[in-house]
Structures are given as structure tokens and as C-alpha cells.
Amino acid sequence: MNAAATPPAESPAEPPRTKRDLLMAMAGVSATVVLAAFDSTIVSTTLPRVAEALNGMALYAWVGTGYLLATAASILIFGRLGDLFGRKPWMLLSIAIIALGSISCGLSQSMEQLIAFRTLQGVGGGMMIATAFAAPADLFPDAKERVRWLALVSATFAMASGIGPLLGGAATQALGWRAAFFISPCAAIVAMFLLVRYFPRMRPAGAQSGGRRIDWLGALLLVIAVSAPLAAMELGFAPGGHAHPMAALALAVAGIAAIACLIPYERRIAWPIFPLRVIAQPEPQLLNIASLAVGAVMFILIFFSPLLLQTQMGYTPSEAGLLLTPLVAAIPVGSIVSGYLFPKQTEPQRLMVFGGCLLAVGSLMVLTFNADSPVIWILAAFFVNGTALGFLLPNLTLFMQMLSERRDVGVASALVQTTRAIGSAAGTALVGIAIARSSVLDGVRMGLVFSAVLALICAYLAHRVKMKNVLTRQAARRNA
């Protein structure tokens, strides 16, 4: 890589120093994460009624697809822009986009309008995830202190994701489906106030010099590289007559071509949108492969366990939702325990190894479900899986931040979120194919076996990530 392509590392401005300042700043980040979780999940229980009211059942799937594609395509871009220009402006802008998009969704008069506004919200959601999960790195340079706050952020996101569908369903039941879209704007007011008032403006040093440029071509190639393969999976594996194999093939080719053009282009420019040094070493590569696996397992469990409970075990949708609650509720438990244990570890990757093995055990526990399975066993299985995810999700982000240079923390964090999203889409698509080719029971069971294998692969990859040396180097820098 030439000299022009490796600008000097720059440190952000000093974070707030008092405990109260730090607490209130993180309260703003947590409120932002709550908004992101509400935005992505609150529509799930209202969408059938929305589609019926707008006479748009044929376009039902694209409400979710548009949002997910926009989110996945924008995370990396805004993670990098946060590194270049500071994170606070992007967090504030994301709140505004989500709030305005949600209001527009609530006022939609057609399914096409709803899809357009949800896609706009997806851009805001990607912007928010990219910046909010990287913000603790600005406030807490010490990884041993940061891990507890990352655990809090992950726990907040998980809990809000579980509450979102309940709030959406309650609002729809009481006031109609349009009311559900006005919950996020109310949460946005709180997040906006806390960020404006308490989160510091921490622009990277030297950002005011004007030497930084936005890599527009790289951003375009990156959007195509991420979104085209995901759209190809949606179109290629859609159920019934909704599949479009040729369009899916064209999108897949476009994604591969974009990747082939992106890599050499990003090596040549001074301020790439995706600096390849982020994944130049083996450890970040292993972590992102592990993130793919974790995303696949997590969404296989979330999407297909309720299907198993309802179609094969006779539970109603509301009963299945209650039985699945420990899967979400236990993620904060695992995150908090992991955050407590992390400072005591000389080789913290062992926490992820444990999480991967525990996730494999949990997947096999779900595999044993049958019509005679006691409720306590079902709850225990989902609790085990949720706890395992709590050991994995925050550590994937934290380890990527620790392995990256300070100037690349945002894009490194965003990369983990992006690979997890890609893994989620791939995992659900593969299990969907298995169900379509066999039966619900056989397809879900194949998916659970696949999940157990992926979880063990994640544990093996984590074992190969040597974090001891990273901690030693960071301690040496602090003592110098």
C-alpha cells in the first residue's frame, strides 16, 4: 500500500472526565440503541393488519426486506464516516431519520409508500447501529472498562427488541395500526435530548483541516457488494411463485463484480470508505467468520423456534412468544456475566469459546423438543441459548475494536454488525429452503443441527483468536 493510502492515525478529542458525564453520555447511547431496537421490531406484530388495511398482502415481505437491505448496506458506510467526522452528528441524524420515517409510515396511504418509508428508516437504523455500538470506544479507551458498558448496550438492545413487538401489538390493539408507528418518535425525543445535552462532540483530531474526503465511489461499490447478494437470496429463495431466479442470479453477479472492483480500488486511495487494513490480519478475519456463524444461529432460533412450537407442539402464537422470552431475556444475563469476568481473564477469547460451546448445547436442547416436552425444559433451552449469545455478541464487537487502530474503531465495529446481518439472512434462507423441500419438522431439525455445528465452529475460531498479546500491548502503551 502506498504512502498516500495510509494517512497517520489520529486520536479523538478527550472524553468527558467525571463519572456523571460518562454515565449520562452512555444513557444517551443506550436510549439511541433502544430506539434502534424499537424501530426494527415494533412493526412485526402490526404488519399483518397493516398489509390488510392497505390491501398489500402481495408486497408483505418487502416491508421487512427493504428495511433489512437498507440497514445492512449502510452500516459499514456510516461506521467509517463516524471514524472520519465524529459519531455524534450521525447519531443525531439517525434519530431524526428514524423519527420522521416512522411518522411517514404511520401516515402511509399505500403499501408502496410504506415500503419506501421503511427503507428510509433502514438507512437510519444502519447509521444508528454503526455509530452507537462504536461510541463506547470513544468514551472508554480502556477495553477492560469498556466491556461492561458494551454489555449494557447489548443488554439494552436485546431487552428493547423483546419489548418492541409487545408495544406494537398493544398499540395496534388499542388504537389501531397507525398508532404503533408513533411509539418510535416518542422514544426519539428522549434519545435526542440525552445525546444533545450530554454526549460530547468528539471529532477526530485534524478533521477540521479539510484533508478528509468521502469516498463516494467506494461507498457505491460497498452498497452493491453488501446488498446485492442479500437481495439475491430474498428473490431466489422466495416461496411459491414469488421467486425470480434470473433476477437473483443477476444480483449475485453484480455483488461479486462490486467486490472484485472494490478491493483494488480501496487500496489505491487515501481515505477509503472501507480500509482493508481492518481485516488484513488473521484475527479480525476469524472474528468476522465467527460473526457470520453467530448471526445465522441467532436468527434460526428466533425465526424457526416459534414455528416448531406452534406447528409441531400445539402452542398458540401468544404462548409460543412467551416461551421464547428467555431467549431474549437471557442475553443481558450472559452479557453482564461476561463483562464481569472479562477483566479477570488473561486470555479473554475463552469467554467466546465458552459461549460457542454453550450455544451448541442450547441448539441441541431445542432439537430434543417434542409434543411431550415439559415447559420447564423449553424455557431452560431458550435460557441457555440466550446466555450463550450474551457471551458472544458484545465480545465480537469489543474484540474487533481492540484489534483495530483507533482511527478504524467505527468501521471495525460496523463490519461485525454487517457480517452478522449477512449470516442472519443466509441462515434463515437455508432453513427456509430445507422446510420447503421437506417439512416444517424436518427442516427446522436440520436447521438446529446446522446451528449446533456453526456454534462449535464459532468456538473453534474464537480459540484461534489470540487476545492475550493484544492486552499485553495495550497495557504496555498505558504504562509507557
Side-chain angles (χ1 to χ4, degrees), residues 202-276:
M202 301 169 65
R203 296 181 65 191
Q208 70 276 11
S209 64
R212 299 171 184 234
R213 297 288 184 270
I214 297 177
D215 174 18
W216 295 108
L217 178 57
L220 176 61
L221 291 172
L222 189 60
V223 167
I224 297 172
V226 172
S227 61
L230 292 176
M233 282 191 289
E234 290 287 341
L235 288 174
F237 303 129
H242 298 290
H244 299 281
M246 295 309 297
L249 180 61
L251 285 169
V253 171
I256 294 170
I259 294 171
C261 295
L262 179 68
I263 293 174
Y265 174 75
E266 295 293 271
R267 285 176 175 157
R268 294 198 305 268
I269 63 172
W271 297 102
I273 197 72
F274 180 57
L276 297 176

Side-chain angles (χ1 to χ4, degrees), residues 385-399:
N385 282 296
T387 303
L389 290 171
F391 273 83
L392 293 167
L393 299 178
N395 283 325
L396 283 167
T397 303
L398 177 66
F399 289 2

